[in-house]
Amino acid sequence: MTLAAAKAALSHLEMDENPVSVRAKSRDFFWYSPVLKARMDHLTADFVVSPTSEAEVIEVLRVAHREGVPVTVRGAGTGNYGQAMPLAGGIVLHMKNMVAVKAIHPGRVIVEPGCLIKDLDAATRAHSGQEQRMHPSTYATATIGGFIGGGSGGVGSCTWGVLRDLGNILRLRVVTAEAEPRVLEFTGEELHRVSHAYGTNGIITELEMPLAPTYDWVEIFVTHPEFATAVAFSGALGHEDGILKKLISVYEAPTAQAYFQRLAPHVVAGDHLIGLMIAPQSMDGFLTFLARYPGAKVVYRSDMTEWPRAPGPVYEYGWNHTTLRALKVDASITYLQVLYDADHYAAKIEAVRAAFPGELIQHLEGMRVGGRMAFAGLTLVNFTTEARLDEIVRQHEAMGCFVFNPHRYTLEEGGRQSADATQLAFKREADPKGLLNPGKMIAWDEPGFRYESIYEYKGMRAAE
Ligand code: FAD
């Protein structure tokens, strides 16, 4: 590759070559994982380009193809599996300047990928009282393009399911990395070519997303002394279809007291905690539901409770923020991502609790899977060694729990441990030189890989 030639050809665009800031823009929240931290901490791109338009994205990809330079696209860098980190150097394509909200209609919005989700919601709320159906707990910092490229679901998933469910993304506009880049529009089955593909086979330059009505969500914390009942309460609430809700999080004790500093004065060590967002007009229904669960106690309501130190948004305790809060108190904590299916979640969660006393703390997020309540487990783990972590994953699998391993940087290992034929076929077409976010798709680099141990990308830039 001829980096110098690529740099010269793109020098009229916004470019950053300062090694310190290039390194900062080459990192994400990979350090959540001690496994990824050990492998990725040294990584950096050679330079950063921040396009202001689709035409400039095309220009960057044309030059990258001609000069054989890798391109790793970046939203805000809040991904936590090293998704946005350039394994083989080259260009970081930073989308921070492509932020336009282009059109707002009843039920849908058209937007550029670099728009922060909070800014997108502010625009649609002000325009017509609408908001995104779902967002990651990194609402304030993440981009909509990064959410579609690297995320899966989050706040809102207890009602709307996850991003890959039909109807949760309407249209994506994508630029390819060919000698002469093409601009393609995807709907329907084709959306999956590039959604959650980590930017390995195309750059999203425009998105059309569905909208839901916005409410002044009432944010609530409930405690319960029994964990199994807290889970049952949360699952049943998820199925109360007349009660509008956006978040159902469950935290096993002692999470609230040990890791949620602003909650700690208001709970006791044995309290299991439930975090909720409920529409104001559904509060009567919710309080009626709550009264059916003796022992359930509301300790915080954003519309009524005044604490000397307000807790801030309740969703910033949920999803991956839970791990972040725990890590700030105890650096030895890491986490897992487990799917507890709709039919068996109560029994499986109890079995896992019984199998790892003192080593795991349950954290569950309610979400709809196929229209029924299931739970994502973002289990807190007291980390000791990589070997033990792998063993914990294996034991979950042996108990019939599917693990999306967050200690892996490839699409396949963080997913279902098998090639995604749709994404691979599109990569062959759209990125013939394999320049887009190299090393993240095993099916492209090493189709015979057996998933018996962690995949180590051979093209990874060595530590100096
Ligand atoms: P980045 O991290 O910059 O990028 C993510 C991936 O998308 C990368 O592979 C990147 O190459 C690719 N990408 C970026 N822009 C484009 C583009 N224009 N075209 C093609 N590919 C692109 N995730 C969830 O799903 N739900 C959660 O609730 C959630 N909570 C989180 C909480 C914390 C505290 C943290 C640290 C992470 C959390 N995440 C969650 C992971 C992450 O925040 C989300 O996936 C987020 O949406 C990523 O947005 P970003 O703009 O930071 O993207």
Side-chain angles (χ1 to χ4, degrees):
M1 78 174 142
T2 47
L3 264 176
K7 219 184 261 187
L10 298 170
S11 60
H12 58 293
L13 303 182
E14 183 180 324
M15 187 180 287
D16 185 349
E17 301 176 68
N18 177 320
V20 176
S21 57
V22 171
R23 181 161 186 262
K25 290 169 189 165
S26 302
R27 295 161 76 78
D28 61 15
F29 282 70
F30 73 107
W31 49 263
Y32 260 44
S33 160
V35 177
L36 298 183
K37 182 149 174 47
R39 287 165 174 79
M40 303 178 87
D41 202 31
H42 66 285
L43 293 171
T44 186
D46 293 290
F47 62 103
V48 178
V49 180
S50 304
T52 59
S53 64
E54 183 180 88
E56 290 188 2
V57 172
I58 292 172
E59 215 179 327
V60 174
L61 294 180
R62 188 189 292 121
V63 168
H65 183 278
R66 189 180 70 214
E67 304 299 339
V69 177
V71 177
T72 301
V73 58
R74 176 182 184 84
T78 66
N80 44 301
Y81 327 128
Q83 295 113 302
M85 294 179 67
L87 302 187
I91 300 170
V92 160
L93 187 70
H94 199 322
M95 303 308 276
K96 67 184 172 100
N97 294 324
M98 292 182 64
V99 297
V101 179
K102 291 180 161 178
I104 304 169
H105 302 283
R108 63 196 172 92
V109 61
I110 299 169
V111 61
E112 288 188 328
C115 187
L116 296 185
I117 300 173
K118 77 166 167 52
D119 294 342
L120 179 56
D121 263 7
T124 55
R125 272 192 197 127
H127 176 271
S128 43
Q130 304 186 85
E131 65 182 27
Q132 289 299 301
R133 287 178 173 179
M134 69 190 75
H135 61 76
S137 60
T138 45
Y139 182 69
T141 48
T143 66
I144 187 70
F147 186 40
I148 303 312
S152 51
V155 185
S157 289
C158 61
T159 294
W160 295 100
V162 292
L163 282 174
R164 63 176 298 138
D165 290 336
L166 296 179
N168 281 337
I169 304 170
L170 301 181
R171 180 177 59 84
L172 297 174
R173 190 174 160 95
V174 175
V175 176
T176 66
E178 298 165 275
E180 193 44 58
R182 288 176 294 155
V183 180
L184 305 171
E185 300 255 351
F186 295 147
T187 56
E189 301 288 2
E190 291 178 337
L191 290 167
H192 180 61
R193 289 176 164 186
V194 290
S195 67
H196 200 82
Y198 294 0
T200 55
N201 56 11
I203 307 300
I204 300 164
T205 52
E206 185 180 284
L207 307 92
E208 189 166 338
M209 297 295 292
L211 296 171
T214 189
Y215 302 108
D216 288 331
W217 296 101
V218 181
E219 308 201 7
I220 301 167
F221 282 120
V222 173
T223 56
H224 200 285
E226 287 164 23
F227 188 70
T229 311
V231 175
F233 171 101
S234 302
L237 179 60
H239 278 145
E240 287 292 341
D241 290 338
I243 299 176
L244 302 182
K245 55 231 166 249
K246 199 161 184 182
L247 183 72
I248 305 177
S249 313
V250 191
Y251 310 97
E252 186 181 4
T255 307
Q257 218 216 23
Y259 304 130
F260 296 171
Q261 286 165 358
R262 299 208 173 179
L263 269 287
H266 309 282
V267 295
V268 296
D271 276 341
H272 307 287
L273 188 74
I274 302 165
L276 302 167
M277 290 169 71
I278 306 284
Q281 69 275 28
S282 290
M283 281 305 289
D284 180 62
F286 169 68
L287 293 172
T288 307
F289 172 86
L290 183 97
R292 295 177 186 167
Y293 287 82
K297 190 170 114 196
V298 173
V299 291
Y300 174 80
R301 271 180 72 158
S302 59
D303 60 342
M304 291 176 71
T305 314
E306 300 248 345
W307 284 348
R309 296 179 75 215
V314 165
Y315 63 78
E316 286 187 357
Y317 291 77
W319 292 89
N320 270 320
H321 268 79
T322 315
T323 314
L324 188 59
R325 287 180 188 273
L327 267 170
K328 281 185 183 164
V329 176
D330 179 352
S332 71
I333 293 233
T334 190
Y335 79 122
L336 290 179
Q337 293 183 170
V338 186
L339 176 63
Y340 293 112
D341 62 88
D343 289 322
H344 309 103
Y345 63 74
K348 284 185 179 171
I349 291 165
E350 276 312 306
V352 169
R353 281 185 84 207
F356 302 97
E359 196 171 19
L360 306 187
I361 304 175
Q362 292 298 314
H363 158 214
L364 307 167
E365 294 290 343
M367 61 180 190
R368 289 230 161 204
V369 176
R372 299 171 62 211
M373 276 302 286
F375 286 93
L378 288 88
T379 321
L380 298 177
V381 179
N382 280 307
F383 178 75
T384 47
T385 63
E386 271 191 47
R388 178 61 190 156
L389 194 57
D390 288 345
E391 178 57 26
I392 294 171
V393 171
R394 270 194 295 277
Q395 287 188 37
H396 275 76
E397 289 168 347
M399 287 188 271
C401 305
F402 195 89
V403 177
F404 296 90
N405 195 334
H407 304 282
R408 303 289 186 262
Y409 55 76
T410 60
L411 283 161
E412 291 92 338
E413 291 166 297
R416 297 204 168 261
Q417 301 211 345
S418 58
D420 183 315
T422 307
Q423 293 184 345
L424 175 63
F426 185 58
K427 186 168 175 72
R428 289 200 178 112
E429 184 188 317
D431 180 24
K433 288 191 174 177
L435 298 172
L436 293 180
N437 208 353
K440 305 283 171 60
M441 191 191 281
I442 297 177
W444 174 267
D445 294 308
E446 207 175 314
F449 184 68
R450 291 173 159 287
Y451 302 99
E452 282 158 0
S453 56
I454 185 168
Y455 176 70
E456 308 270 7
Y457 174 52
K458 295 188 181 62
M460 187 184 286
R461 182 170 268 190
E464 282 175 13

